[in-house]
Amino acid sequence: MASPVLVAPHRGWVEDYRRDHPEARHWAYMTPRNWRTACRGVTASEVKVIAPMTITPDMLDALLPSLVRADRRT
């Protein structure tokens, strides 16, 4: 089953979010530091940006294959 991918400026934000939202404990995450390997083999239902940050074109390219089967919201 697909789950969201958390996107944050650093892992501390991810850990704080997971502490407040136990259901997010096993969700994949992406930071500027791990964007190359963050979403390999992941099928994502959505992308949750949990803190203000800039998503670079390279990060977006890494996220897109994970979202191929996700529902599109317009």
Side-chain angles (χ1 to χ4, degrees):
M1 184 170 158
S3 58
V5 173
L6 303 175
V7 179
H10 58 80
R11 189 162 180 206
W13 281 95
V14 174
E15 295 305 322
D16 289 345
Y17 186 88
R18 286 177 171 172
R19 191 174 311 115
D20 295 338
H21 302 86
E23 70 278 5
R25 191 173 47 164
H26 298 291
W27 295 354
Y29 69 92
M30 176 182 278
T31 65
R33 188 171 182 173
N34 78 338
W35 67 266
R36 288 178 184 89
T37 59
C39 295
R40 283 190 189 154
V42 173
T43 301
S45 59
E46 62 184 293
V47 175
K48 287 188 175 225
V49 180
I50 58 175
M53 65 173 290
T54 300
I55 298 176
T56 65
D58 289 333
M59 291 173 76
L60 188 58
D61 287 343
L63 280 168
L64 286 179
S66 299
L67 293 168
V68 170
R69 291 180 220 102
D71 294 333
R72 300 286 187 241
R73 296 182 194 168
T74 56

